[in-house]
Amino acid sequence: MTPILTALLFLGLSVGPRTCVQAGTLPKPTLWAEPGPVVPWGSPVTIWCQGTLGAQEFHLNKEQSPAPWVIEITRTPSHKAKFSVTYLAEQQAGIYRCLYLISSDWSEISDPLELVVVTGSYSKPSLSALLSPVVTPGGTMTLQCASGQRFDRMVLTQQGEDTSPWTLDTQPHPSGQVQALFRVDPVTPNHRGTFRCHGYYRRRPQVWSTPSEPLELLVSGEADPPSPIWNKPSSENVPPLEDHTAMSTVAATQPQDHRVENLIRMCVAVLVLLALGVLLWEARHSQRSTQGAATGRRDPRGSQEPS
């Protein structure tokens, strides 16, 4: 009975007619949160506990909470239960577990779910890649998460990846800030993506700061171009084949456009030169005509002898 009592006390269950039974005879349920385990302050969140079809009760317990959150399903036995939190605050953040009841049998305890609240009361840290955000597979990458607020710990998350956050203790920086250096060695293609980091204090481990600005990391491979690209699209964002064809057509017609432009410019230059030549010829012809007219208007008496 010792393991049973330990489990019951840990879950905050009262030892009574309904709970003084053997625990662990049914498979442990699955526990998760929607939209996710990291939720902004004041946002709603739903906690799901899924067990075996035919469950009559679901118990959700939060560590250091005196009593569990119980949902009874008496009319239509189900295989999961929904626990809704309309406003997530610091009091609701913590580590949760659940179990369910069928007849007089309790299930095993689920794996823990850490529900984290993100508060704007803490200043967001800065995230940067030392040396370069572009690395090759098998290389070494170091991400620096720094903050002027003296957090005890920093946590690094990767967007879209089903991986656990990476947590490190902070260390002082010569500038007066605190920092955590996340070293990845060796680097694999799975490290390509968007990263953010948070800061928090040990006394409040489920209360995180606002996330840092996103940092895009590129893990180059043999098929990647030699020049580094900061925001290279993933294979999911590659345009369809028609778009590639259109892009290739535009690229192929660009040299022809340049030749046409050069030909037009040459024609304009020739026309300008011809116009200037015509103007110069007309000006010289006019000057000669003026000089001839002036010669013809001289006094004829100037050539006669006096009588």
Side-chain angles (χ1 to χ4, degrees), residues 89-108:
E90 180 182 348
Q91 292 76 14
Q92 286 75 39
I95 298 177
Y96 289 82
R97 290 178 174 85
C98 75
L99 76 168
Y100 60 94
L101 173 68
I102 297 180
S103 298
S104 59
D105 296 329
W106 285 99
S107 69
E108 296 183 7

Side-chain angles (χ1 to χ4, degrees), residues 28-37 39 44-52 55 57-61 69 71 73 78-85 95-100 107-115:
K28 66 180 179 181
T30 304
L31 187 64
W32 75 93
E34 291 181 355
V39 185
V45 63
T46 301
I47 302 176
W48 289 92
C49 181
Q50 179 173 324
T52 304
E57 284 186 15
F58 287 88
H59 287 207
L60 179 68
N61 183 79
W69 191 349
I71 290 183
I73 303 175
S78 178
H79 68 291
K80 64 180 179 179
K82 178 174 68 174
F83 302 87
S84 299
V85 179
I95 298 177
Y96 289 82
R97 290 178 174 85
C98 75
L99 76 168
Y100 60 94
S107 69
E108 296 183 7
I109 304 170
S110 69
D111 293 331
L113 168 67
E114 186 174 14
L115 192 61

Side-chain angles (χ1 to χ4, degrees), residues 1-13 23-24 61 97 99 107-109:
M1 284 295 291
T2 302
I4 299 174
L5 291 175
T6 302
L8 294 176
L9 291 174
F10 181 78
L11 290 171
L13 301 176
N61 183 79
R97 290 178 174 85
L99 76 168
S107 69
E108 296 183 7
I109 304 170

